[in-house]
């Protein structure tokens, strides 16, 4: 899904910028997995959950509501298309990115992602509670 840039600076040549919700325990775990890999091109990680991002409240809320990536050319994509873009540069995940580019697959993944977004608040609550229990 292509979207307007909304307060983002131009991406550097050859770099993907991942907009991540650092306040989401599910997101942090998934992003940590990706960050443990050496991508095939530069990936920057931008936590949009704090007030230091320079984003408007509307843009911040939009970027936190679903997964977004700013591509090398400055275009912003979200949802399943953003995951596919990230997978294509991550070793061990490229095969999934290639499969997702087959006709109809990204669309089906988007439907699944939208269904997940309805469950996300409940899963976040569960993950936060689990984190709190593990700290005790």
């Amino acid at each position: 899904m292509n979207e307007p840039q909304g307060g983002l600076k131009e991406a550097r040549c050859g770099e993907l910028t991942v907009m991540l919700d650092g306040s989401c325990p599910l997101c942090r775990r998934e992003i940590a997995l990706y960050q443990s890999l050496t991508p095939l091109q530069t990936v920057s990680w931008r936590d949009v959950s704090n007030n230091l991002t320079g984003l408007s409240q509307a843009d911040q809320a939009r970027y936190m509501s679903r997964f977004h990536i700013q591509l090398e050319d400055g275009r912003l994509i979200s949802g399943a298309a953003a995951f596919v873009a990230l997978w294509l540069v991550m070793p061990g995940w490229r095969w999934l990115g290639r499969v997702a580019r087959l006709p109809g697959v990204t669309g089906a993944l988007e439907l699944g992602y939208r269904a997940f977004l309805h469950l996300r608040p409940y899963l976040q609550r569960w993950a936060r509670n689990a984190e709190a229990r593990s700290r005790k």
Side-chain angles (χ1 to χ4, degrees):
M1 167 181 274
N2 290 333
E3 298 182 15
Q5 289 185 18
L8 295 177
K9 295 182 180 170
E10 198 65 30
R12 288 181 277 220
C13 186
E15 179 175 295
L16 294 180
T17 302
V18 175
M19 311 302 163
L20 63 109
D21 178 358
S23 68
C24 168
L26 301 172
C27 306
R28 284 194 308 266
R29 286 182 180 167
E30 182 175 8
I31 292 300
L33 180 105
Y34 296 133
Q35 288 176 325
S36 72
L37 303 172
T38 303
L40 302 175
Q41 72 181 74
T42 303
V43 175
S44 12
W45 309 93
R46 184 173 182 190
D47 183 352
V48 297
S49 66
N50 64 50
N51 293 332
L52 304 175
T53 60
L55 297 171
S56 70
Q57 285 183 336
D59 285 337
Q60 183 183 27
R62 183 170 57 130
Y63 297 143
M64 288 175 62
S65 70
R66 55 187 279 130
F67 187 63
H68 287 78
I69 286 184
Q70 186 177 20
L71 299 174
E72 306 90 349
D73 63 5
R75 286 181 301 128
L76 190 68
I77 58 174
S78 70
F83 281 104
V84 172
L86 183 59
W87 294 336
L88 286 169
V89 301
M90 289 293 165
W93 292 84
R94 291 188 73 204
W95 69 271
L96 186 56
R98 289 182 181 129
V99 169
R101 289 174 44 187
L102 293 172
V105 177
T106 301
L109 289 172
E110 179 64 26
L111 291 174
Y113 181 66
R114 288 180 185 189
F116 161 78
L117 289 176
H118 292 290
L119 300 174
R120 183 178 173 210
Y122 305 104
L123 295 171
Q124 286 175 319
R125 190 174 315 122
W126 174 82
R128 282 189 185 101
N129 290 337
E131 281 181 347
R133 283 191 302 273
S134 70
R135 289 185 197 140
K136 291 181 181 180

